[in-house]
Amino acid sequence: MALVVQKYGGTSVGDADRIRSVASRVVGAAADGNQVVVVVSAMGSFTDELIGLAQQVSSHPAPRELDMLLTAGERISMSLLAMAIHDLGAEVLSLTGSQAGILTDSSHGEARITRIRGDRVREHLDQGKIVIVAGFQGVDPDSRDVTTLGRGGSDATAVAMAAALDADACEIFTDVDGVYTADPRVVPDARLLKEVSYEDMLELAASGTGVLMMRSVEFARRFGVALHVRSSFHEQPGTWVKESAMEEAIITGIAHDVSESKLTVHGVPDQPGVAARLFGNLADAGINVDMIVQNVSMEGVTDISFTVPKNDNAAALAICERLVPEFRAGGVDADPNIARVSVVGAGMRSNPGIAATMFRALGDRAINIHMISTSSIRISCVITADRVEEAVRTLHEELVPLDEPVEEHA
Ligand code: ADP
Ligand code: ASP
Ligand code: MG
């Protein structure tokens, strides 16, 4: 008997009809002779709505209470799905993250899974039940408080459950057909990838491709869990994310991210230790700095620019404003109207010239590049936010092959 983990995202459980159709699909998988663990997200944009409510009652919602609130979203969808499955005559029960034995560290809002005690889930599976687990949540065993795993965290729940239970399959059901060469909402003729390697998927997810949460891909790679990302609306196969992909185009895809903000500290004296103090202070405040650019020093002073998540913009700005007089720097400004566009593909390693093509394509459209960063398989440019969709479409047209590569037969 095979054990499958199926994860259904927010749109897939967005209303009563969709919950009923997920219920039939789950019961179908069980009727095919599988043991089934289902991980669910909150319905539709319910998590956003809860965050909005929290912000209406508090300017800085207490992290523990915010997690108490947000975990309610997945609790609603898991119990509704259990009721719908029950009506179809199958044995089923729903469990919160805590009841399912998902243990995390104590970082509210961004908790990391430290261990999974799978015995309770296994016990119910062995009794022939379908087990539904609330995504996106766990419990800190020291404080016994519930935690959330970060936005999109139900993907991480599913992969971690699949690894802990040694599942035969981990299916991520979503509102698109799989992983495309760019966000299909921005590039209508983006191509569905049959396969993508963990390595490329990690870079794509880190660069804003929201179809999989980055940490879920890290987890999948570490524990060798192959993921099948597919549509919850039909039966066609989607995209396999696994160790190595057969499709070896030079560029796998284009990603974009509008969730960051850029800060620039001007006129910083070019002395040893300044960058360490600036970024040390930001790190101490738990702010994740992404791209960093320091200009060539002119007359002993330089500018340092970096990006942070928009949510951390105000906190990062306050830290910089405090440090400006200490550094005897010129000042600081923040620009939230930026976006990052990235070209990703392991084939880049052996194909020089991609960066030049990317910069030329943006230049031809008079799209100005504010910052550039690279890894061995990714090039990212920061541009103004209002040009980002045009940039993605342009780069997709220039750099992503139109058709599947022709397979060579020996
Ligand atoms: P779920 O609620 O199922 O977790 P998400 O909204 O988190 O769904 O992820 C699916 C969305 O990811 C799609 O609706 C799509 O707009 C977006 N997306 C961005 N880039 C891509 C890509 N390259 N391929 C597929 N989807 C993408
Ligand atoms: N409901 C959570 C979110 O919106 C988790 C998820 O959907 O994966 O981020
Ligand atoms: Mg998601």
Side-chain angles (χ1 to χ4, degrees):
M1 193 180 244
L3 195 164
V4 300
V5 174
Q6 299 191 329
K7 178 255 169 178
Y8 293 89
T11 315
S12 310
V13 292
D15 58 34
D17 284 343
R18 287 192 172 155
I19 289 177
R20 276 198 301 269
S21 98
V22 167
S24 330
R25 190 156 193 156
V26 170
V27 170
D32 287 344
N34 300 297
Q35 290 188 312
V36 190
V37 174
V38 185
V39 173
V40 281
S41 292
M43 295 170 72
S45 53
F46 199 58
T47 305
D48 291 321
E49 287 165 36
L50 291 175
I51 292 172
L53 268 175
Q55 286 166 344
Q56 283 177 45
V57 297
S58 160
S59 55
H60 292 97
R64 176 190 183 276
E65 302 309 328
L66 189 59
D67 275 357
M68 286 296 269
L69 179 73
L70 297 189
T71 49
E74 272 68 14
R75 224 171 144 137
I76 291 172
S77 46
M78 75 175 192
S79 43
L80 289 173
L81 180 61
M83 292 171 199
I85 291 177
H86 200 259
D87 268 25
L88 297 176
E91 293 256 26
V92 59
L93 104 163
S94 65
L95 298 172
T96 64
S98 165
Q99 290 174 322
I102 299 174
L103 309 185
T104 74
D105 64 16
S106 58
S107 349
H108 285 291
E110 223 26 83
R112 286 180 174 268
I113 298 175
T114 49
R115 220 183 114 200
I116 293 196
R117 280 201 210 112
D119 44 318
R120 188 159 176 197
V121 172
R122 253 189 229 105
E123 228 168 76
H124 289 296
L125 287 173
D126 291 343
Q127 290 164 10
K129 289 182 202 147
I130 294 165
V131 179
I132 307 176
V133 177
F136 176 57
Q137 55 179 268
V139 64
D140 169 10
D142 298 328
S143 64
R144 285 173 289 161
D145 283 331
V146 295
T147 52
T148 61
L149 309 177
R151 297 309 304 268
S154 301
D155 295 335
T157 307
V159 177
M161 279 314 308
L165 298 169
D166 199 16
D168 299 284
C170 182
E171 298 180 291
I172 308 289
F173 288 94
T174 185
D175 57 4
V176 283
D177 292 352
V179 182
Y180 284 81
T181 49
D183 188 340
R185 294 180 207 280
V186 174
V187 183
D189 58 356
R191 185 165 57 81
L192 180 66
L193 294 161
K194 283 204 180 85
E195 298 180 350
V196 55
S197 65
Y198 292 130
E199 186 183 30
D200 281 350
M201 194 64 233
L202 259 179
E203 285 282 0
L204 285 169
S207 309
T209 298
V211 66
L212 282 176
M213 187 213 204
M214 185 177 83
R215 258 197 275 139
S216 73
V217 187
E218 275 171 0
F219 231 96
R221 178 185 214 174
R222 181 144 35 107
F223 295 100
V225 179
L227 307 179
H228 188 188
V229 183
R230 55 191 306 195
S231 171
S232 61
F233 305 133
H234 59 69
E235 302 282 336
Q236 302 307 311
T239 306
W240 281 92
V241 183
K242 53 201 200 55
E243 188 55 49
S244 64
M246 261 173 21
E247 283 184 70
E248 275 301 323
I250 300 168
I251 302 301
T252 302
I254 314 290
H256 70 285
D257 186 354
V258 292
S259 69
E260 292 184 343
S261 179
K262 182 177 87 164
L263 284 93
T264 302
V265 187
H266 303 279
V268 184
D270 197 5
Q271 289 161 358
V274 170
R277 266 180 69 201
L278 172 60
F279 294 109
N281 272 274
L282 292 164
D284 289 346
I287 297 172
N288 262 326
V289 175
D290 186 22
M291 282 164 101
I292 302 175
V293 170
Q294 175 168 339
N295 285 342
V296 176
S297 144
M298 300 273 278
E299 295 170 3
V301 292
T302 183
D303 289 352
I304 301 176
S305 296
F306 55 92
T307 61
V308 296
K310 276 198 172 88
N311 287 342
D312 290 330
N313 185 45
L317 188 60
I319 289 171
C320 293
E321 279 167 347
R322 181 164 54 76
L323 290 174
V324 160
E326 288 181 30
F327 289 163
R328 294 180 200 286
V332 55
D333 57 39
D335 182 1
N337 296 317
I338 57 134
R340 186 159 57 110
V341 56
S342 305
V343 172
V344 172
M348 238 187 252
R349 280 201 188 96
S350 45
N351 286 274
I354 304 293
T357 311
M358 178 179 190
F359 304 152
R360 184 194 42 71
L362 295 175
D364 284 352
R365 296 271 173 153
I367 296 173
N368 195 27
I369 301 170
H370 300 305
M371 294 168 95
I372 298 169
S373 85
T374 62
S375 79
S376 60
I377 65 163
R378 171 187 53 79
I379 307 163
S380 302
C381 294
V382 169
I383 60 173
T384 55
D386 59 358
R387 305 293 297 279
V388 67
E389 297 203 350
E390 183 187 355
V392 173
R393 282 191 285 269
T394 302
L395 295 175
H396 193 266
E397 208 174 295
E398 291 265 349
L399 284 162
V400 178
L402 271 183
D403 297 306
E404 309 250 334
V406 180
E407 278 178 36
E408 285 179 27
H409 298 280

